[in-house]
Amino acid sequence: MPETYNPQLGREHSYPYEHQEEERDWHWGMIININRCINCNTCSFACKSTWTSGEGEEYMWWMNVETEPYGGYPMGWDMRLLDDLGQDETIFEAAEEGERVKGYVAQKEEWEYPALGDDQVHGEYPTGDVVESDLENDEYHDMWQFYLPRLCNHCKNPACLAACPRKAIYKREEDGIVLLDQERCRGYRKCVKSCPYHKPMYNPETGVSEKPVGCFPRIEEGNVPRCVSSCIGKTRLHGNINRGPDAGHPGGNASAAAGRSPVNYLAKSDEKIALPLYPQFGTRPQVFYMPPYHVPPEFLTQMFTPNTDEKRNDWPGDTFEESIKIVQDRVRNPSHHTLGILQLFGATTRLIETYTVKEHRVKGWDRKGNKVVDMPFEEEMEVREGEMWTNQ
Ligand code: SF4
Ligand code: F3S
């Protein structure tokens, strides 16, 4: 198997195909600020009503939100796989003989409870009858949970693509979206078994599998995916993860800002602030999460770092756990620049290709170089002259 460099792990590992993902001008990417998610599942229903409301698709939730640490769809999807992987072993390196990827097929009952574990908290309960906010002995703060929105990551090393013997899964040249060709598919279900995030799903009515499509028809028209535009918590930002600091003006329009995209800044700048989910699987997922700042860092270390003993200079702390604490602090107390980018979340349904943050104003341009956002950090207020009405 060819070796591929995985920047999320800082090392090479085997992957069945040779490819140069960094050379694409455009690659689908998403940032999710977990701290803003309230588990309303508006995203899940928007996705389902758009894409999976047909026959045989009843159990398919391409977008779901689960409660950590007890939720999971399918149940226990992450721990089951992590338990099977050796130290520093990706799912490609751990593959058994005759297979290309290590995985498992979740059984029917594991798909039957998408909301199991919802709102269940972890930690010590206080001894009193009611929860008291006793800041001195910290008892109240021992309990924690958080919501984790989950979707296909349109990975740069897709396990689904690697596993399919029919080559029915491919990455689109123009945007890196990973699609499944149902005409080629013969229902072998290696993709279902291999995706560590369990997003390809089998349709028993048609006899072929289906997988999330990254809302490509909307992307082609310059709009963000449905889960992003419908999110009432404004948790998400979508865009070109490959647009780095050296990129030119979008659409060749000199009046638009040149340079990196806002998603690229949050995921790839030195101010590391958004992290991939379970990078140790090795698929290079392209959804990046701003981690919850109230959760014990040791839990998040397992979830959002390569989680090895190796020292890594591209992380802000001496250890991964220390790095997570620093990232949590950056999310809780964002820099002026990040605060500006946070205003772009949910600001428009148009896809923001480039941006500027100047003083207290943030602006964004689409792929053609048209301005789509121009707003202050704080909403302007107009105070009317005259007496206030009171009910006295
Ligand atoms: Fe494939 Fe799963 Fe990655 Fe999506 S998340 S591209 S289905 S391996
Ligand atoms: Fe391939 Fe998955 Fe179909 S493995 S043949 S795309 S079911």
Side-chain angles (χ1 to χ4, degrees):
M1 251 195 235
E3 293 284 301
T4 183
Y5 180 72
N6 185 328
Q8 293 182 354
L9 301 183
R11 68 176 176 89
E12 291 202 331
H13 61 76
S14 55
Y15 183 72
Y17 298 108
E18 285 186 38
H19 57 141
Q20 286 298 331
E21 287 308 314
E22 300 322 306
E23 284 176 9
R24 284 179 202 276
D25 286 340
W26 213 95
H27 197 292
W28 189 104
M30 194 183 290
I31 309 287
I32 302 183
N33 184 353
I34 287 179
N35 297 278
R36 285 179 173 178
C37 178
I38 56 168
N39 197 21
C40 67
N41 276 293
T42 309
C43 53
S44 310
F45 285 98
C47 178
K48 186 140 190 63
S49 61
T50 308
W51 294 112
T52 58
S53 55
E55 243 184 289
E57 296 177 323
E58 292 80 2
Y59 83 109
M60 292 185 194
W61 291 92
W62 286 355
M63 171 74 243
N64 74 288
V65 184
E66 52 205 42
T67 302
E68 288 295 332
Y70 297 120
Y73 177 71
M75 282 155 65
W77 62 275
D78 47 358
M79 292 320 296
R80 271 192 67 174
L81 189 54
L82 286 172
D83 284 348
D84 276 355
L85 293 182
Q87 175 83 4
D88 293 346
E89 199 177 40
T90 65
I91 56 174
F92 306 106
E93 291 160 322
E96 279 146 32
E97 216 176 312
E99 300 268 351
R100 289 176 172 180
V101 187
K102 173 97 187 164
Y104 74 94
V105 181
Q107 300 303 306
K108 188 168 171 283
E109 61 275 15
E110 293 170 89
W111 288 109
E112 279 177 349
Y113 308 96
L116 194 77
D118 256 14
D119 290 335
Q120 224 176 313
V121 291
H122 182 76
E124 298 286 320
Y125 283 81
T127 48
D129 286 330
V130 288
V131 176
E132 287 175 7
S133 179
D134 185 347
L135 292 175
E136 255 176 36
N137 65 20
D138 230 10
E139 272 179 300
Y140 172 68
H141 290 274
D142 272 343
M143 296 188 293
W144 60 272
Q145 49 97 308
F146 66 95
Y147 303 124
L148 184 70
R150 288 219 311 108
L151 62 161
C152 171
N153 294 280
H154 296 282
C155 305
K156 288 191 172 175
N157 293 343
C160 55
L161 183 156
C164 177
R166 284 279 301 166
K167 293 205 168 119
I169 300 183
Y170 60 101
K171 261 179 107 61
R172 293 214 311 182
E173 271 314 312
E174 58 267 45
D175 49 24
I177 289 177
V178 180
L179 292 180
L180 188 156
D181 180 347
Q182 293 186 0
E183 298 283 311
R184 280 197 67 78
C185 176
R186 292 288 180 272
Y188 295 150
R189 282 172 262 186
K190 296 279 184 191
C191 53
V192 176
K193 180 179 178 188
S194 300
C195 169
Y197 305 96
H198 294 273
K199 286 302 171 186
M201 296 167 192
Y202 180 68
N203 186 326
E205 295 296 327
T206 59
V208 295
S209 291
E210 301 173 20
K211 77 167 288 304
V213 297
C215 263
F216 71 85
R218 289 177 61 89
I219 312 284
E220 285 170 3
E221 289 180 356
N223 294 315
V224 294
R226 287 272 279 141
C227 61
V228 179
S229 62
S230 67
C231 176
I232 59 168
K234 298 189 176 183
T235 64
R236 297 161 196 230
L237 190 64
H238 179 263
N240 180 0
I241 202 77
N242 272 10
R243 176 177 263 275
D246 301 328
H249 302 278
N253 184 343
S255 60
R260 72 193 330 163
S261 67
V263 290
N264 179 286
Y265 181 88
L266 292 178
K268 309 243 168 123
S269 73
D270 291 344
E271 194 191 18
K272 201 186 261 295
I273 195 163
L275 310 170
L277 178 64
Y278 292 121
Q280 60 268 54
F281 291 155
T283 66
R284 296 185 66 192
Q286 298 302 308
V287 177
F288 295 81
Y289 295 85
M290 294 171 71
Y293 46 67
H294 65 289
V295 169
E298 56 274 18
F299 183 83
L300 300 176
T301 303
Q302 172 195 260
M303 205 166 211
F304 292 114
T305 77
N307 204 15
T308 74
D309 294 333
E310 254 174 58
K311 166 110 181 64
R312 284 274 297 272
N313 293 333
D314 55 333
W315 283 77
D318 283 338
T319 62
F320 284 117
E321 195 171 315
E322 204 181 293
S323 298
I324 283 286
K325 282 189 207 159
I326 294 169
V327 173
Q328 284 177 300
D329 194 51
R330 285 176 183 168
V331 176
R332 190 197 293 261
N333 304 300
S335 67
H336 184 79
H337 194 87
T338 298
L339 195 58
I341 298 179
L342 282 171
Q343 313 305 313
L344 297 175
F345 284 55
T348 172
T349 58
R350 299 292 292 166
L351 200 153
I352 301 169
E353 184 76 3
T354 57
Y355 73 104
T356 55
V357 175
K358 284 196 185 130
E359 294 175 0
H360 290 278
R361 210 163 181 94
V362 59
K363 297 178 187 174
W365 289 264
D366 68 12
R367 292 172 75 174
K368 292 185 177 148
N370 301 317
K371 196 192 277 182
V372 288
V373 181
D374 185 349
M375 58 197 277
F377 278 27
E378 283 178 28
E379 276 185 39
E380 281 150 1
M381 269 176 57
E382 188 182 335
V383 180
R384 288 191 194 153
E385 304 227 334
E387 277 181 37
M388 290 277 286
W389 177 85
T390 69
N391 59 359
Q392 287 173 356

